[in-house]
Amino acid sequence: MLVEDIMNTNVVTLQPSATIAKALELLHKHKIRHIPIVNEENEVIGIVSDRDVRDASPSIFESASGDAHPELQNQLHTIMSSPVVTVHPLDFAEEIASIFYEEEFACVPVVSNDKLIGMVTEKDMLYSLIQLTGTNVQGSHIEVKVPDRPGILPEVTAIFGKRRTNIVSVLIYPYKQDPAFKILVFRIQTMNPLPVIDDLQEAGFTLIWPKLDMQGPRP
C-alpha cells in the first residue's frame, strides 16, 4: 500500500507570516491537530501543532479577565517546528510507520517535487493497518506455526486453495520461543474454518489459533 493511497489531499496550510490567532481558528474550524507552514511556492518550511498553539496562547484565567492578548498576533514562524520530516507519495505506508514510531510523530507531510500534496496522520496509518490485516472483512482468523524455510508459504496456502478458501490477508511474524519457526497469520473469508483447520492438522502443521482445547474456533 502506497502513501498516495492513504494520504489526505485536502490539506489546510498557512504561511509563516500568519498569526497564531489564525492558526487557532483553523485548528478548531477543521478539527485538525497540525497545520503545515508553506512558502509562496507551496514548499513545506515548518509545521505547527495544536500543542504549539496552545502553549503560545493565553491561559484560561487570562482569557477570563477580558484583557487583550497581543501574543495571539505573533507570527507562526516564531513557534513552528523546522525542518520538517516529509515522505513521498510512492513510499510504502507500512515502511513510514517506523517514522511515526521512532520519531513519535502524529502526522507527516507528503511532498512531491518539493511541493506539498498531502498529509498522513496516525489515524490514516491505523486505517491502513486495518486494511492490511483484513480485519475490516468478516471472516476467520487462523495462526499456523511453520518452519522458517523457503517455500513454506505456498505449501500452506495450497491447503487453503484445495478448499477454494479465499485468503483476505497474510501476515508473518517470528516465533519467539524458537527462531527456527515463524507464525503465519491468515484472515480467510469463511465463517466455518473447521475443514481448513482439519486439513492443516492432517498436513502436520501446528495451530497456534484457534486453540485445540477450545470448544470451537473464534471467528
Side-chain angles (χ1 to χ4, degrees):
M1 183 177 294
L2 299 176
V3 166
E4 66 181 5
D5 296 325
I6 67 171
M7 70 182 185
N8 177 14
T9 57
N10 186 23
V11 184
V12 175
T13 65
L14 285 171
Q15 293 196 343
S17 58
T19 64
I20 295 175
K22 184 61 177 179
L24 184 61
E25 174 191 341
L26 292 181
L27 287 168
H28 284 299
K29 178 181 178 180
H30 297 282
K31 298 180 180 179
I32 55 178
R33 296 174 55 194
H34 296 82
I35 299 177
I37 308 304
V38 299
N39 59 21
E40 293 181 355
E41 288 73 40
N42 202 38
E43 298 169 333
V44 181
I45 60 173
I47 194 164
V48 170
S49 69
D50 55 351
R51 182 174 181 176
D52 296 327
V53 171
R54 186 169 60 250
D55 290 345
S57 301
S59 72
I60 186 173
F61 301 106
E62 293 173 336
S63 299
S65 67
D67 297 331
H69 302 292
E71 61 267 38
L72 290 178
Q73 299 308 311
N74 291 337
Q75 297 184 346
L76 292 177
H77 68 80
T78 63
I79 66 168
M80 72 181 188
S81 299
S82 182
V84 182
V85 174
T86 62
V87 297
H88 190 272
L90 298 183
D91 287 339
F92 287 107
E94 51 268 37
E95 291 180 354
I96 71 165
S98 61
I99 297 177
F100 283 80
Y101 176 74
E102 294 169 4
E103 303 294 339
E104 298 184 355
F105 289 159
C107 72
V108 289
V110 183
V111 172
S112 180
N113 296 321
D114 297 325
K115 310 296 183 184
L116 177 69
I117 62 170
M119 288 275 283
V120 175
T121 66
E122 287 177 316
K123 185 176 181 179
D124 297 326
M125 292 302 300
L126 287 172
Y127 179 68
S128 67
L129 177 62
I130 291 171
Q131 290 185 303
L132 288 170
T133 56
T135 52
N136 58 323
V137 178
Q138 190 175 28
S140 300
H141 181 100
I142 295 178
E143 297 186 16
V144 188
K145 175 185 172 185
V146 299
D148 185 11
R149 59 174 172 79
I152 191 63
L153 181 58
E155 185 177 330
V156 176
T157 55
I159 296 174
F160 292 89
K162 290 178 181 178
R163 292 283 180 180
R164 303 184 66 83
T165 301
N166 186 35
I167 298 174
V168 177
S169 67
V170 182
L171 298 176
I172 304 174
Y173 65 89
Y175 183 61
K176 293 182 179 180
Q177 287 82 348
D178 189 341
F181 291 88
K182 296 281 190 181
I183 303 297
L184 303 182
V185 183
F186 295 93
R187 188 77 180 175
I188 58 176
Q189 202 165 8
T190 177
M191 297 308 294
N192 180 24
L194 287 175
V196 173
I197 290 172
D198 290 340
D199 291 347
L200 289 168
Q201 290 178 291
E202 288 178 8
F205 293 111
T206 301
L207 271 292
I208 301 299
W209 188 265
K211 301 290 186 182
L212 301 181
D213 57 350
M214 296 181 65
Q215 295 296 320
R218 184 177 68 177

